[in-house]
Amino acid sequence: MSGTSERPSLDFKSKEEFRAVCHQLAMRMHYLNRVAMGEQKFSFEVAELLSRLGRVFDEHYDDEETRRAFGDGWEKGALNDEERRAYLYGLLYDKA
């Protein structure tokens, strides 16, 4: 076995690397849930949310519609705080 780790680094430098970190965290949570947490449904859902978050960030980071909705450091987005959270929830749960 080599001395290098195949796990993604928390020092991620791209949206793809962030997705990999979220996936690794999700898989670790699923594992711990099976062997040490009593297979709690809550822990399962947290792991799934981590995985979804990485996917959504990767897929929507450069999306123009998402950028218009959320805004940036210079332009206010089309959505208010509550609407942004609802939009993100919709992306996480494929309701957008």
Side-chain angles (χ1 to χ4, degrees), residues 7-10 12 14-30 46-58 92:
R7 292 182 179 174
S9 170
L10 290 178
F12 55 90
S14 69
K15 61 190 180 96
E16 295 85 6
E17 288 180 5
F18 178 74
R19 184 177 188 162
V21 167
C22 287
H23 176 75
Q24 184 68 37
L25 286 171
M27 294 303 99
R28 180 71 177 156
M29 177 69 95
H30 278 308
V46 168
E48 288 298 298
L49 182 60
L50 286 166
S51 184
R52 288 172 185 263
L53 182 61
R55 175 186 55 81
V56 165
F57 187 75
D58 183 11
L92 289 167

Side-chain angles (χ1 to χ4, degrees), residues 2 8-9 12-15 24 27 31-32 38 40 54 57 60-61 69 76 81 84 93:
S2 71
S9 170
F12 55 90
K13 294 174 178 55
S14 69
K15 61 190 180 96
Q24 184 68 37
M27 294 303 99
Y31 168 76
L32 290 174
Q40 296 179 12
F57 187 75
H60 294 274
Y61 175 79
K76 182 178 177 179
D81 290 348
R84 283 194 309 269
Y93 291 98

